Amino acid sequence: MDKKTEMALRNRSKALQSEPTTEAATLASVTLPATPVTQPPSGWWMYHGDPEHTGFVSDSELSSASVASASFTTLHSIQLAGPVLSVPAVTDGFVYVGLANYQQAQGGNGGALHKIDIETGQIVNTFAWDLGCDPRDAHSFTGMGCTPAVVNGRVYFGAFNGKFYCLDQETLAELWFTDMRQEDILHNQPITNMAGVDMGAPPAVMWSSPVVSADGTKVYVGCGEGENPQLFSFVFCLDTATGNVNWIFCTNKFTTNQDNQPNFLPAPVLQGTVPSIFTPVKDSPIVMGSSVWGSIAYDKDLHRLYCSTGNQQPEPNASWQWNGVWPPPPFTPELKSLGYSNGVLSLDADTGDFKAFFQVPPESNYRPSDGDIDLGGAPILFKWNAGQTNEKKVVGVGCKNGSFFVLDADTLTLQKYRQLLPFQMLPDGTMTWIETVDRHPNPADGTLSPHLTNEYSNSVPNENFSGVFNTGAIYPGSSDKPQTISPRVFLAMGGPNYHSASPGIDYETTPFMRAIDAMSLADVWPMAGNPLKYIKTSRMDPNINTEVGMYTSAGESGLSSPAIVNDVVFCTTSKISIYAFDVRDGTLLWNADLGMQTDGYNGGYGYCLGPAIWKNYVVAGALVFGGEGGGVLNIYGLSPSQ
């Protein structure tokens, strides 16, 4: 922010403090009409398709037969003036996709959201912004990294400039924006969350994709930064018509034995006008960090929000050493997550009141030395024993430590969990770690893919780069004849491919996507070998390139959110590729490359964070090498001639 703008904001704040009645009354009268309440649109209108983030679509002609046929093809490949680091939204015949950096912004320093006709591939509208003097994201991104929510004639999204926008769906004209990083008293937002930024620390941003309440009146989003130990993190509830703040919940827990209350905010962020609904808290929190990275899930029946949280600041004690005893101790004080970090937080959707919290247990880690175990993806909501008398609504969530958890939707008590990373069977029948999975080198060692023993990795606290970094998709099951298909969850495996410890995943042992039963969490696709790996089945079409699969491309990881349409599950990877598998047994139906990876010291760098599905179309955007700005959006579907 430039000095002139900063002074104007400060003057506005002082004016409101000295004469609150006159100006506040004037501002309150300048509001937009109430947002109409309608049924949610069809298609992929928000992150992962719906507020429960199921990632499942059924109103489509796409199937295992049609996707495997010659009629399924690339319809459009659109070069964009910047990389895509999110899943697009697709509804009413248009794609809404944001750019992480926009080359056409002033100095190439800004962002954009495009509206694209899905039939023609033409960009019909663009909303763009310049970053100016505002700080960039921790990764030098200047645009946006979330999926917009497109509902009731409006488009909602948060950006890396700390602002949350509402646009007209037809024209992409700006209707309002609320500043989440700096005080915006016009919208009842009192927080200035900028500590350490002027010293080079990363600013508070919104990676979290917004979710809208069932009545269309409220929109929810997380804002924070887990790598700046001086910043606080929050969940915001805004009025969809005006952008005014209804309530704010701080995800930095203030005291050990008492849960936070909504609208109780840390005193350091309240530098100006404080509306009467907010209460300053002078106590320092247990830990900082604890940002909500993934999209917030929403359950209209319980009227509950589910927010996955990330790492704490400061990180746990790095001096811990494993004693070599297997299994590792269930409680490791030095590596224990604190506060509301590394877990799932449940809040009342109307009031923001605390309802429950689940924290990832250390014993669920792949290695006992795993730390910084973010939940970067969103929770998903589904039913156990659907249609039966003992039906139970549950929350599923994957973790960077490699585990998938199933929680009671009301209490967040743990029902079941499964470690998804592979183990090796020893001659005596016991299971042990695989040395090339989740390697933990000394942080000072920059060696690329170092050879490390299990004993060494288990003794050095470090991140797990092989686990689940994004959101799973739930297939509800089918009783169609001749084959009944059980409900199952699909989760992409592996994180970023730019770190030296392990660029991507160990592709020879670890699949870039897991397929597990929604009840037992056991693998549902055929497996064989030691370690167990998914195998090709007799249903594999011999005309398809069978060399392309889950264990053939060095370092290829998921880092993405799978998407399901009828009996087909799509998954994108860091290669940068998109695959379609039969949900029954993993038969590879189709695959394509979106582009080339950029050059990097580990051999390549690129992203595609997952596909979106609308009707007979599949859409995916990516960060790729070349093009107008390192970004591409591909639209796949059934050929019009077929």
Side-chain angles (χ1 to χ4, degrees), residues 46-384:
M46 64 167 300
Y47 178 73
H48 230 38
D50 51 45
E52 298 84 8
H53 302 324
T54 61
F56 176 73
V57 174
S58 60
D59 59 344
S60 170
E61 297 176 5
L62 296 179
S63 66
S64 56
S66 62
V67 170
S69 71
S71 63
F72 189 77
T73 185
T74 304
L75 301 177
H76 304 286
S77 185
I78 307 158
Q79 295 297 311
L80 302 175
V84 178
L85 285 178
S86 58
V87 181
V90 191
T91 186
D92 298 332
F94 293 94
V95 180
Y96 300 82
V97 60
L99 304 183
N101 300 89
Y102 187 43
Q103 298 298 314
Q104 296 179 18
Q106 184 177 6
N109 190 31
L113 182 138
H114 291 310
K115 178 180 179 179
I116 299 172
D117 188 304
I118 199 167
E119 291 188 358
T120 66
Q122 297 299 308
I123 298 175
V124 296
N125 290 113
T126 297
F127 175 77
W129 60 94
D130 297 325
L131 195 65
C133 297
D134 286 353
R136 293 173 171 232
D137 168 69
H139 308 279
S140 293
F141 298 132
T142 59
M144 59 182 286
C146 73
T147 302
V150 185
V151 59
N152 295 332
R154 299 185 177 185
V155 181
Y156 301 96
F157 69 94
F160 295 144
N161 60 5
K163 296 177 175 62
F164 188 84
Y165 291 94
C166 173
L167 311 180
D168 179 82
Q169 181 179 349
E170 181 66 27
T171 64
L172 295 193
E174 180 184 301
L175 299 179
W176 53 257
F177 76 81
T178 302
D179 197 325
M180 303 295 209
R181 184 187 291 164
Q182 307 213 55
E183 179 195 52
D184 185 353
I185 206 64
L186 291 172
H187 293 101
N188 202 40
Q189 202 292 91
I191 292 170
T192 297
N193 194 21
M194 292 286 288
V197 174
D198 59 346
M199 302 298 292
V205 296
M206 281 165 282
W207 282 93
S208 174
S209 299
V211 63
V212 177
S213 62
D215 64 5
T217 64
K218 302 178 186 67
V219 58
Y220 311 94
V221 68
C223 183
E225 172 52 58
E227 307 307 326
N228 182 343
Q230 299 183 63
L231 286 184
F232 294 86
S233 299
F234 304 94
V235 173
F236 290 86
C237 172
L238 307 180
D239 182 274
T240 53
T242 65
N244 295 340
V245 170
N246 291 325
W247 53 258
I248 304 172
F249 188 94
C250 182
T251 61
N252 304 108
K253 193 173 184 182
F254 296 122
T255 59
T256 301
N257 298 319
Q258 182 177 349
D259 288 300
N260 290 3
Q261 299 180 55
N263 298 331
F264 279 64
L265 305 178
V269 303
L270 303 175
Q271 301 175 4
T273 302
V274 182
S276 59
I277 67 168
F278 300 110
T279 301
V281 178
K282 295 182 180 179
D283 296 334
S284 296
I286 299 171
V287 287
M288 303 296 280
S290 307
S291 286
V292 177
W293 296 116
S295 178
I296 298 168
Y298 169 78
D299 183 84
K300 62 181 177 60
D301 297 322
L302 292 172
H303 212 52
R304 200 75 58 84
L305 303 178
Y306 301 93
C307 317
S308 53
T309 61
N311 58 297
Q312 67 194 51
Q313 285 287 349
E315 292 288 358
N317 188 347
S319 64
W320 174 83
Q321 295 247 325
W322 181 53
N323 62 9
V325 177
W326 175 262
F331 178 75
T332 309
E334 293 84 357
L335 290 181
K336 179 175 171 56
S337 301
L338 300 175
Y340 295 132
S341 66
N342 302 325
V344 178
L345 180 67
S346 176
L347 304 174
D348 184 278
D350 272 337
T351 64
D353 286 335
F354 173 89
K355 289 297 183 180
F357 180 67
F358 164 79
Q359 195 159 59
V360 173
E363 58 267 30
S364 68
N365 295 343
Y366 182 74
R367 295 191 184 276
S369 53
D370 282 339
D372 190 1
I373 49 174
D374 292 78
L375 279 77
I380 60 176
L381 288 158
F382 59 100
K383 293 180 179 179
W384 268 10

